[in-house]
Amino acid sequence: MHSEQRTFIAVKPDGVRRGLVGEIISRFEKKGFKLIAIKMLDVSQEQAEAHYAEHKGKPFFPRLIEYIQSGPIVAMVWKGYDVIAGARQLMGSTNPLDAQVGTIRADLALVKEYNVVHGSDCVESAEREINIYFKPEELCDEYENMAETVIEQLDEE
Ligand code: UDP
Ligand code: MG
């Protein structure tokens, strides 16, 4: 059985400024994940602190909060089989220098402080982060996604 999940993905302000929104979305689309919500927004202080609550107190926290509010982000919810790990595989390691070539961060970013994309790290974070940025009625899951359909067939066999 394949585990179907949802994850919160954001193109961070540096990714937006650099014109990488389409490139980043394209990688998740091509993989076969299903886009179920998307919007551009300016992150509030409350959203920023809630999003990165686990990092509160770390030396990089103040700059991280400033960074995520330095311009609009493109917030998204993606759905699919093992999408949490799959998205993090596509993104690559936090530090672009540690990320594998071919990943978003290795290919498109230079330093860990400006690494162009965010993705949830587990089911609990995903649900928490989705709720920070989206209302339940903003999720559009009622359409057919081919990759999803194929895996549903596999699970039925
Ligand atoms: N970050 C940073 N310096 C560090 C570690 C992290 O600026 O030493 C930033 C970076 O933008 C990273 C975010 O804080 O993406 C969250 O860190 P985490 O360890 O959760 O990495 P991620 O889950 O984004 O790969
Ligand atoms: Mg993280």
Side-chain angles (χ1 to χ4, degrees), residues 12 52 55 60 64 67 88 94 105 112-113 115:
K12 292 175 171 178
Y52 286 119
H55 296 303
F60 63 85
L64 175 58
Y67 162 46
R88 287 182 67 92
T94 308
R105 285 163 167 175
K112 64 182 185 302
E113 291 80 5
N115 57 6

Side-chain angles (χ1 to χ4, degrees), residues 1-5 79-82 146-157:
M1 278 296 278
H2 300 81
S3 148
E4 188 163 61
Q5 303 169 333
K79 187 179 169 190
Y81 290 86
D82 295 320
M146 280 313 295
E148 189 178 48
T149 309
V150 166
I151 294 173
E152 274 161 16
Q153 281 167 5
L154 278 177
D155 281 346
E156 280 164 19
E157 284 168 10

Side-chain angles (χ1 to χ4, degrees), residues 21-110:
V21 173
E23 167 79 30
I24 291 170
I25 290 176
S26 180
R27 292 181 179 223
F28 293 99
E29 276 193 317
K30 284 188 238 176
K31 176 76 173 177
F33 296 133
K34 181 183 185 182
L35 180 63
I36 62 168
I38 181 166
K39 66 179 161 193
M40 180 177 261
L41 73 140
D42 290 306
V43 177
S44 69
Q45 183 70 20
E46 293 69 32
Q47 284 173 319
E49 287 182 12
H51 181 162
Y52 286 119
E54 65 170 308
H55 296 303
K56 198 169 175 127
K58 294 183 185 169
F60 63 85
F61 183 76
R63 194 162 58 179
L64 175 58
I65 296 303
E66 195 179 319
Y67 162 46
I68 204 69
Q69 296 187 86
S70 63
I73 67 164
V74 173
M76 297 175 272
V77 181
W78 288 84
K79 187 179 169 190
Y81 290 86
D82 295 320
V83 68
I84 294 172
R88 287 182 67 92
Q89 181 186 37
L90 292 181
M91 286 161 46
S93 300
T94 308
N95 187 337
L97 281 174
D98 297 329
Q100 286 199 13
V101 171
T103 62
I104 294 168
R105 285 163 167 175
D107 292 356
L108 306 176
L110 285 167

